[in-house]
Amino acid sequence: MGRPEGVLLDIDGVLTVSWQPIPGAVAALRELRADGVPYVLLTNTTSRTRRSIAETLVAAGFPVSVGSVLTAPAATATRLAGTRCLLLNSGDIREDLAALELVDDPDDAEVVLIGGAGPEFDYRALDRAFAALQAGARLVAMQRNAYWRTAEGLRLDSGAFVTGLEYAAGVRAEVLGKPAEAFFAGALGQLGVAAAEALMVGDDIESDVLAAQRLGITGVLVRTGKAAPGAPRRGDGEPDHVLDSVASLPELLARLRR
């Protein structure tokens, strides 16, 4: 890689767990800001709007703004603007999906749009999604993560449901958040740096680290969140760097920039 000039960071499991800051995370971002290192937060979180995410992080002390948070729903709104979508998601993100036409009737849907999993993913909701797919709708996933970490432990995410719908309907989902190449490309564009000059810091070896490495971005895995001790090991590659937590990121950057 070239001299690192910018950083992409996941949020959940990297900066926070259950929206509580991981020890040292606030200080790490403040040090990056003080050193003039630009960063963008790149998240598959679909339970909150960009504005809500930014406000929560600012209240916890993180030096961020709405503009520095890129979310899978925001990318989805850009990609599917004007499309009739049957939405299945846990959390109210309609503010970020205003460019879409959300419909309730499976026969009206051009797209079955899957967000993050939760109690809303019951049989009736999944069967309605299946009906829309049978009627010709496309399957689009804002993300297909297998699980995420909360203060109470790992929780099942929507990847299992996306896979089930693919199997039942005989279709393949398009993914718009991580690990989609376009999602990373948009973040690099906002940073204004080339892939070889960027680091991606994440807790998901597949969607964060390996996906970034395929684009020439240096992948940094943190041993928090999904990658905490005892979590299932996923992915068939190795990160460029492994840190106990994001608290050690400024030290890694300083070493790489010498």
Side-chain angles (χ1 to χ4, degrees):
M1 68 170 293
R3 185 176 186 269
E5 301 293 345
V7 180
L8 308 177
L9 298 117
D10 186 24
I11 298 175
D12 192 23
V14 175
L15 300 180
T16 67
V17 169
S18 293
W19 298 104
Q20 296 302 307
I22 288 173
V26 172
L29 253 64
R30 288 180 174 174
E31 188 167 343
L32 262 61
R33 172 68 62 85
D35 290 343
V37 179
Y39 52 84
V40 168
L41 310 186
L42 194 63
T43 178
N44 275 350
T45 297
T46 60
S47 60
R48 298 182 180 219
T49 63
R50 290 177 74 193
R51 179 171 55 83
S52 173
I53 291 171
E55 289 174 350
T56 299
L57 294 175
V58 167
F62 288 101
V64 301
S65 65
V66 174
S68 62
V69 178
L70 298 185
T71 68
T76 298
T78 299
R79 175 72 173 80
L80 299 179
T83 304
R84 298 191 305 276
C85 298
L86 181 71
L87 174 66
L88 180 53
N89 179 64
S90 184
D92 186 0
I93 54 171
R94 286 173 292 183
E95 176 184 318
D96 284 351
L97 299 179
L100 310 183
E101 182 182 348
L102 301 181
V103 300
D104 295 320
D105 188 339
D107 290 334
D108 292 337
E110 298 173 278
V111 165
V112 171
L113 181 59
I114 307 296
E120 295 82 358
F121 283 61
D122 58 17
Y123 178 82
R124 180 175 179 274
L126 289 164
D127 194 47
R128 287 174 66 243
F130 177 55
L133 294 173
Q134 290 183 88
R138 295 155 46 210
L139 180 59
V140 176
M142 288 186 261
Q143 51 98 342
R144 61 182 307 160
N145 295 342
Y147 50 82
W148 80 97
R149 181 172 292 278
T150 72
E152 290 75 39
L154 297 181
R155 292 292 182 265
L156 184 67
D157 209 342
S158 55
F161 300 102
V162 173
T163 299
L165 288 170
E166 288 177 324
Y167 171 72
V171 299
R172 183 67 179 170
E174 177 184 4
V175 181
L176 299 183
K178 293 177 295 183
E181 180 177 342
F183 198 37
F184 284 100
L188 289 174
Q190 181 161 330
L191 275 178
V193 302
E197 299 171 329
L199 271 66
M200 174 66 210
V201 184
D203 68 325
D204 188 314
I205 186 66
E206 292 179 310
S207 293
D208 293 336
V209 176
L210 299 183
Q213 289 175 325
R214 286 193 289 271
L215 300 177
I217 302 169
T218 298
V220 181
L221 183 71
V222 291
R223 294 194 185 99
T224 52
K226 296 176 188 176
R233 175 68 164 88
R234 301 179 63 87
D236 57 1
E238 295 297 329
D240 295 299
H241 303 279
V242 178
L243 301 176
D244 286 337
S245 85
V246 74
S248 301
L249 179 60
E251 179 183 349
L252 173 65
L253 274 173
R255 178 157 42 91
L256 294 176
R257 299 182 92 190
R258 290 192 187 113

